[in-house]
Amino acid sequence: MRIDVITIFPEYLEPMRHALLGKAIEQGRLEVGVHDLRNWAEDKHRSVDDSPAGGGPGMVMMPTVWGPALDDVAAKKVPANLESAEAHLNRPRHDELEGIEPKAYEAKEDSELPLLIVPTPAGAPFTQADAQAWSTEEHIVFACGRYEGIDQRVFEDAKKRYRVREVSIGDYVLIGGEVAVLVMSEAIVRLIPGVLGNRRSHEEDSFSDGLLEGPCYTKPRVWRGLEIPEVLLSGNHKLIEAFRKSNSVARTKKVRPDLITRALKEGTISPADLEQS
Ligand code: ADE
C-alpha cells in the first residue's frame, strides 16, 4: 500500500515513522509520502488560504493550490519520502513467532482510482469496517484541511481522478485533519496482511464482531490483593470463551447499548447471551 498525506504541517505526521507503521515501511508493505501543501503555492508568501466567499470568519483553503497538489500526488509525481525511524526487522513480535497465516480483508470497491480521504468533522463516521475494507487499497491519499476547510470545488474536481470520501473520526472538532490521519492510518495499516503477525489479534478486536472486548489479565495471579478471575486459570477453553463472551456483552451493554441493539439484529448475540451477561 502507498499512503500520501498532503498537509501544511508535515512534521505532525512524524509518528507514522514509528512503531507498527515504521515497521510496515521497513517490511516494504507500506510506502508513505508526506507533502507540504505550500510546495504548490503560487506566490512568494506561499499562501494556501483566502477569505471565504460570501463573507464570514476564518479562511478557506484555495482550489488553485489543492488542485495541482492532488493531480501530482494521484499521478505519483512526488516521491514516497518517509523512512522508518527505527530498525524493527530483527525484533519479531511474539505473535509473529507463532507463524499464523495473515489474512486479507475483502475490498469494498473494485476501482483503479486511488482513494482520497478528506478528514472533516462534517464527514461520515470512520468505522472498523472502513479500516478493514481500506486495508486492501493500493493507494490512499489524505488531504488535511485547516482553517474553515477546503474550497468544495476541489473535491468535485478530484472525483475525476479519485474516489473521494469525507470522513470524521468522532463528534468533536479538531484543529485540522492531521491527527485524524494518524488515527485512520494506524487502524488501516495494522490490518494489512503481515503487518500484525497474529490474525487472531485483530479478529478478536473490539468492534470486529460488533461488540467491545472485555477486560484482560496477566501474571501475577494475585496483585495488591486482587485476583485474576479463577476461570481464566482453569485451562478449560470452553469455559474461558463463555466467560469472555459474557464479559464482552456486559461491557458493551453498559457503555455502548447502541451496539447491543445492532448485534441482536444481526444475530451476533442471542437474547440468551444478553441474559447471561
Ligand atoms: N478535522 C477536524 N475535526 C475532525 C474530526 N472530528 N474528524 C476528522 N477530521 C477532523
Side-chain angles (χ1 to χ4, degrees):
M1 175 185 291
R2 172 160 167 172
I3 294 181
D4 284 291
V5 187
I6 309 174
T7 167
I8 55 167
F9 291 119
E11 63 277 17
Y12 244 87
L13 283 306
E14 177 71 10
M16 292 185 81
R17 303 171 60 223
H18 296 273
L20 208 78
L21 275 75
K23 181 168 180 180
I25 294 172
E26 278 180 46
Q27 289 173 326
R29 296 182 203 277
L30 178 68
E31 286 183 298
V32 183
V34 177
H35 315 290
D36 188 341
L37 178 68
R38 292 190 196 280
N39 293 341
W40 285 274
E42 294 172 305
D43 63 343
K44 73 171 191 297
H45 301 294
R46 305 180 84 206
S47 313
V48 294
D49 59 334
D50 210 332
S51 49
M59 299 292 268
V60 176
M61 296 185 108
M62 293 148 75
T64 47
V65 184
W66 271 106
L70 289 172
D71 293 346
D72 286 352
V73 172
K76 297 189 183 163
K77 281 193 189 154
V78 275
N81 54 5
L82 207 71
E83 306 246 310
S84 169
E86 264 185 88
H88 301 87
L89 289 181
N90 295 326
R91 286 186 278 140
R93 293 165 55 101
H94 71 91
D95 51 5
E96 278 174 314
L97 296 171
E98 289 174 27
I100 295 169
E101 276 299 296
K103 170 194 160 193
Y105 285 92
E106 287 197 11
K108 251 200 243 166
E109 299 165 275
D110 183 20
S111 168
E112 297 281 291
L113 296 180
L115 186 65
L116 176 62
I117 303 179
V118 185
T120 160
F126 176 66
T127 64
Q128 186 67 15
D130 294 324
Q132 290 176 356
W134 295 344
S135 69
T136 64
E137 292 285 337
E138 254 175 52
H139 190 193
I140 298 179
V141 178
F142 288 104
C144 296
R146 288 254 153 184
Y147 317 117
E148 293 305 304
I150 302 172
D151 187 307
Q152 192 60 33
R153 290 169 297 176
V154 170
F155 308 120
E156 278 166 45
D157 175 70
K159 284 180 193 155
K160 295 174 203 147
R161 281 170 295 288
Y162 290 98
R163 287 166 291 143
V164 182
R165 302 286 176 271
E166 293 181 77
V167 180
S168 166
I169 62 159
D171 292 343
Y172 40 78
V173 180
L174 304 168
I175 308 170
E178 287 78 5
V179 172
V181 169
L182 293 175
V183 169
M184 288 188 267
S185 299
E186 192 163 309
I188 294 166
V189 171
R190 68 188 282 278
L191 302 180
I192 296 175
V195 169
L196 201 65
N198 188 339
R199 115 183 206 184
R200 272 186 63 202
S201 54
H202 45 85
E203 285 186 343
E204 289 178 2
D205 290 339
S206 288
F207 304 113
S208 291
D209 62 357
L211 299 174
L212 306 182
E213 252 188 288
C216 55
Y217 303 86
T218 185
K219 291 185 223 38
R221 198 177 62 75
V222 185
W223 179 75
R224 296 190 175 175
L226 301 167
E227 293 190 21
I228 292 179
E230 196 64 41
V231 58
L232 295 178
L233 307 169
S234 68
N236 183 328
H237 296 295
K238 262 206 158 137
L239 279 182
I240 292 174
E241 205 178 305
F243 173 82
R244 288 194 172 136
K245 173 113 187 199
S246 105
N247 271 298
S248 158
V249 174
R251 179 180 274 186
T252 310
K253 199 160 70 176
K254 189 162 169 222
V255 301
R256 291 291 304 273
D258 54 312
L259 294 180
I260 291 286
T261 312
R262 192 173 348 144
L264 279 171
K265 215 187 288 166
E266 289 174 359
T268 326
I269 57 168
S270 64
D273 290 329
L274 203 54
E275 241 163 65
Q276 281 156 25
S277 70

